[in-house]
């Protein structure tokens, strides 16, 4: 009896592993209107397009139609550096793939002034960077801001062979300390941070 249970659990584990791998292949039949991360490209205006969002042109409200409206936004300010406004979609699914998505939004003086009137909390981080969060009204005021870059962090760990299967071979690979490497796909407007210890990070931006 115990042996049958062990065999059954082993088969179940094998089936689940197969399903996970199956999701990360090009042959998965997705809805025709469902854009996937490996389908990114650079358009005729040299803008990166991913998930039907055009970097430098599409707005936060466009991303919300894809990823949902539950967001968390933070403004990071450091002396001598341009402020960075990041919007987090902590849990979303794209084509059945669970992921975290971070948008970096373009700021101008008008946007900064509007945000300054809707601050929820500001704190100084140990690094010296000031981190500011905003009220719901402040977050709503970001809806028309344009997307500068998009970061996609899949929940599942991507093996190097899976990355090559989905995205092809990178144009170049830059090695970094601590087991990191940067896989560059300029024709896709993409940099993949491959980490031996942590989840892989896909960064889409205009080149």
């Amino acid at each position: 009896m115990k042996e049958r249970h062990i065999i059954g659990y082993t088969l179940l584990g094998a089936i689940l592993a197969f399903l996970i791998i199956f999701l990360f292949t090009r042959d998965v039949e997705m809805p025709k209107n469902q854009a996937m991360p490996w389908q990114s490209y650079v358009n005729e205006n040299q803008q990166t397009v991913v998930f039907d969002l055009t970097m430098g042109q599409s707005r936060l409200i466009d991303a919300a139609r894809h990823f949902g409206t539950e967001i968390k936004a933070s403004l990071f300010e450091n002396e001598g550096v341009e402020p960075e406004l990041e919007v987090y979609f902590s849990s979303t699914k794209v084509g059945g793939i669970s992921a975290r998505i971070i948008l970096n939004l373009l700021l101008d003086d008008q946007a900064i002034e509007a945000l300054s009137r809707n601050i929820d909390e500001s704190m100084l981080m140990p690094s010296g960077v000031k981190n500011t969060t905003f009220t719901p009204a402040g977050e709503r005021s970001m809806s028309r801001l344009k997307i500068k870059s998009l970061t996609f962090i899949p929940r599942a760990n991507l093996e190097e062979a899976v990355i090559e299967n989905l995205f092809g071979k990178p144009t170049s690979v830059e090695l970094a300390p601590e087991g990191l490497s940067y896989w560059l796909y300029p024709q896709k407007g993409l940099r993949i941070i491959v980490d031996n210890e942590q989840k892989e990070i896909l960064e889409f931006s205009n080149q």
Side-chain angles (χ1 to χ4, degrees):
M1 181 69 71
K2 289 183 178 179
E3 288 181 355
R4 286 205 299 270
H5 285 166
I6 292 171
I7 293 171
Y9 291 143
T10 302
L11 288 173
L12 178 60
I15 291 169
L16 290 174
F18 172 80
L19 289 174
I20 291 170
I21 294 171
F22 182 73
L23 282 174
F24 285 101
T25 64
R26 276 199 181 93
D27 296 329
V28 177
E29 186 175 348
M30 295 296 177
K32 291 183 179 179
N33 63 346
Q34 178 67 78
M36 300 300 290
W38 50 83
Q39 295 173 330
S40 69
Y41 63 93
V42 177
N43 66 17
E44 63 277 7
N45 297 319
Q46 300 303 303
Q47 296 168 302
T48 297
V49 182
V50 62
F51 304 125
D52 296 326
L53 300 171
T54 302
M55 302 300 99
Q57 180 175 322
S58 297
R59 303 172 188 272
L60 175 57
I61 193 171
D62 301 316
R65 296 188 183 104
H66 290 275
F67 310 132
T69 56
E70 291 187 12
I71 65 170
K72 181 179 179 182
S74 292
L75 180 68
F76 297 98
E77 298 173 277
N78 197 8
E79 188 175 351
V81 180
E82 290 292 326
E84 296 279 348
L85 179 59
E86 294 185 352
V87 173
Y88 304 84
F89 296 85
S90 60
S91 182
T92 188
K93 277 193 174 183
V94 180
I97 302 174
S98 296
R100 289 178 292 153
I101 290 176
I102 304 172
L103 303 181
N104 187 295
L105 302 182
L106 290 168
L107 285 171
D108 55 25
D109 292 341
Q110 183 178 357
I112 292 174
E113 182 180 350
L115 291 173
S116 69
R117 297 194 297 268
N118 292 282
I119 292 174
D120 180 36
E121 183 181 14
S122 290
M123 60 180 294
L124 194 63
M125 302 168 67
S127 62
V129 176
K130 182 182 178 183
N131 180 4
T132 300
T133 56
F134 301 93
T135 63
E139 292 179 344
R140 286 193 297 270
S141 73
M142 303 172 192
S143 64
R144 308 304 299 180
L145 296 181
K146 293 181 179 180
I147 301 169
K148 180 180 179 181
S149 63
L150 183 151
T151 300
F152 183 86
I153 308 174
R155 296 286 184 184
N157 187 51
L158 300 182
E159 299 292 339
E160 292 187 5
V162 174
I163 296 174
E164 282 198 16
N165 181 50
L166 295 173
F167 297 90
K169 289 188 177 294
T171 301
S172 61
V173 175
E174 297 177 356
L175 300 179
E178 300 180 0
L180 294 178
S181 59
Y182 300 97
W183 293 30
L184 307 180
Y185 297 84
Q187 75 279 11
K188 293 178 174 290
L190 168 65
R191 181 177 79 162
I192 301 179
I193 303 175
V194 179
D195 191 334
N196 292 335
E197 302 295 333
Q198 303 294 328
K199 304 296 185 185
E200 279 61 47
I201 299 173
L202 284 61
E203 298 178 334
F204 299 91
S205 62
N206 293 334
Q207 303 298 294

